[in-house]
């Protein structure tokens, strides 16, 4: 039962443009969401989070939007840079565990 | 960085052999986790531990066992490795800070290939 879903396995954008990564969830009990970034041969690292009491959280070039009624969140990266090329996971903690989406591989082309 | 190290970083083993992966943490975290990462599946929980000698199964625990005899070490064992266990394995701790924010911190991963 994959409670957190990322339906796009890959995304390619041009440097300087916006990258939009999407995530859907099914469990209404989730009240906090995180995005992780993963480079090859490294462990995932925390990028940005959002609480369910908010609909937007911004940190520099990264903004996460939450639509609770649609059970959908998205990560926007503006402007995208080649160094942003990585796999991005959305995640939600529940019951001392963390549920992860399948990940989206972002490629930013120079 | 939550002081998590995994060993080995890479391993190739033959089908049917036992394999043990080690996760070591230096910050006295109570909860420790083993995930595997596979294309199309993201990170899936294998087992976790909520204290010394206290462990529980995750969603993909078949074929794996764990042990935690000390707070700092969490071992993942494949009793008889199969090709379906070829994966990248991540150890993690999950902690909730004072502000109520829950966050996972990961080791660098172990790439296991079963031939």
């Amino acid at each position: 039962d994959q409670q957190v879903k990322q339906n796009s396995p890959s995304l390619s954008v041009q440097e300087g443009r916006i990258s939009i990564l999407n995530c859907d969830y099914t469990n209404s009990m989730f009240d906090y969401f995180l995005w992780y970034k993963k480079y090859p041969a490294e462990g995932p690292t925390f990028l940005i989070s959002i609480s369910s009491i908010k609909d937007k959280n911004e940190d520099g070039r990264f903004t996460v939007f939450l639509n609770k009624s649609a059970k959908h969140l998205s990560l926007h990266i503006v402007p995208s840079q080649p160094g942003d090329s990585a796999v991005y996971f959305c995640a939600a903690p529940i019951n001392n565990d963390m549920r992860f989406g399948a990940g989206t591989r972002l490629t930013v082309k120079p | 960085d939550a002081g998590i190290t995994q060993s080995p970083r890479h391993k190739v083993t033959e089908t049917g052999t036992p394999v043990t992966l080690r996760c070591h943490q230096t910050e006295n975290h109570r909860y420790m986790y083993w995930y595997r990462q596979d294309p199309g599946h993201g990170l899936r929980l294998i087992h976790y531990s909520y204290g010394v000698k206290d462990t529980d199964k995750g969603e993909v625990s078949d074929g794996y066992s764990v042990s935690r005899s000390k707070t700092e070490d969490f071992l993942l064992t494949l009793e008889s490795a199969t090709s379906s266990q070829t994966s990248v394995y991540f150890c993690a701790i999950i902690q909730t800070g004072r502000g109520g924010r829950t966050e996972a911190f990961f080791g660098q991963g172990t790439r296991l290939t079963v031939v």
Side-chain angles (χ1 to χ4, degrees), chain A residues 2 32 34 36 38 41-44 46 49 89 93 96-98 100-102, chain B residues 9 31 33 35 37 40-43 45 90 94 101-104 106-108:
Chain A
Q2 195 165 9
Y32 186 73
L34 306 93
Y36 282 82
K38 185 188 176 305
E42 296 182 10
F46 170 77
S49 63
F89 295 98
N96 295 312
D97 187 12
M98 188 85 72
F100 291 87
Chain B
R9 294 292 313 279
Y31 287 85
Y33 301 77
Y35 290 90
Q37 184 205 355
H41 293 280
L43 292 151
L45 181 65
F90 288 99
I94 296 175
R101 189 177 97 173
T102 301
E103 190 174 333
F106 291 87
Q108 291 183 298

Side-chain angles (χ1 to χ4, degrees), chain B residues 74-94:
Chain B
F74 190 31
L75 305 180
L76 176 71
T77 297
L78 291 66
E79 302 291 347
S80 177
T82 67
S83 59
S84 65
Q85 293 175 312
T86 292
S87 185
V88 181
Y89 293 85
F90 288 99
C91 176
I93 64 98
I94 296 175

Side-chain angles (χ1 to χ4, degrees), chain B residues 29-54:
Chain B
H29 294 291
R30 180 182 173 192
Y31 287 85
M32 297 181 74
Y33 301 77
W34 276 107
Y35 290 90
R36 57 179 289 175
Q37 184 205 355
D38 303 288
H41 293 280
L43 292 151
R44 293 181 292 173
L45 181 65
I46 305 171
H47 281 278
Y48 70 99
S49 169
Y50 46 96
V52 173
K53 297 186 180 179
D54 291 325

Side-chain angles (χ1 to χ4, degrees), chain A residues 1-95:
Chain A
D1 177 23
Q2 195 165 9
Q3 300 181 33
V4 179
K5 300 179 182 179
Q6 294 175 258
N7 294 317
S8 297
S10 63
L11 174 68
S12 181
V13 300
Q14 206 68 34
E15 181 178 6
R17 306 295 289 270
I18 185 171
S19 296
I20 301 176
L21 296 92
N22 294 302
C23 179
D24 298 292
Y25 62 97
T26 58
N27 192 334
S28 299
M29 297 298 292
F30 291 148
D31 61 3
Y32 186 73
F33 301 91
L34 306 93
W35 283 94
Y36 282 82
K37 180 178 182 179
K38 185 188 176 305
Y39 291 119
E42 296 182 10
T45 55
F46 170 77
L47 181 60
I48 192 170
S49 63
I50 189 167
S51 166
S52 62
I53 62 174
K54 295 185 176 181
D55 55 16
K56 176 182 176 181
N57 188 28
E58 188 173 355
D59 183 1
R61 296 186 296 113
F62 303 91
T63 303
V64 57
F65 295 92
L66 175 62
N67 183 333
K68 286 185 65 178
S69 61
K71 293 190 174 68
H72 177 83
L73 61 154
S74 61
L75 174 67
H76 293 214
I77 306 174
V78 182
S80 301
Q81 300 174 353
D84 296 329
S85 296
V87 178
Y88 291 79
F89 295 98
C90 65
I94 187 166
N95 298 333

